[in-house]
Structure formats: structure tokens, C-alpha cells
Amino acid sequence: MKKLSFIAFIICFITVSCSNDEESQNEDSQKLEVMHNEIVALSLSTSQACTNPEE
């Protein structure tokens, strides 16, 4: 009986874990895209032409 309840618990755990993976991947992708856009915006706003080659 303990084995059966353990197997049922594992199946429920795997089912719940798999259903959340896709949602968390979408959230992570959105966060990464926002962070990438911030990095690009900051790098473009602070880029300056080099006037002195010694700098």
C-alpha cells in the first residue's frame, strides 16, 4: 500500500511540474527580452565616437 501511494504521489508531482514548465519558460523569455532591450538601449545611449586614440 505504501508503494502505491508513493507512486501516486510521484505521478501527481510530475504532472504538476510539467504543466508549470511551459508557463515559467514563457515568463523567463519575456523577462530576458526586456533585459536585452534595456542593455541595448543603454549601450546605444552611452556610445560615443572616439576622438582621442589614447583614451
Side-chain angles (χ1 to χ4, degrees):
M1 185 68 182
K2 286 184 180 183
K3 288 182 182 180
L4 182 61
S5 62
F6 180 73
I7 291 172
F9 172 75
I10 294 297
I11 290 172
C12 291
F13 182 75
I14 291 172
T15 304
V16 170
S17 295
C18 291
S19 66
N20 289 337
D21 283 344
E22 188 173 329
E23 293 173 9
S24 66
Q25 285 179 350
N26 289 337
E27 290 175 8
D28 290 344
S29 294
Q30 290 173 353
K31 288 178 184 177
L32 286 172
E33 186 174 345
V34 168
M35 289 169 39
H36 176 263
N37 291 338
E38 290 175 356
I39 291 170
V40 169
L42 289 172
S43 68
L44 293 176
S45 67
T46 59
S47 63
Q48 297 177 355
C50 212
T51 56
N52 186 358
E54 292 178 3
E55 291 182 349

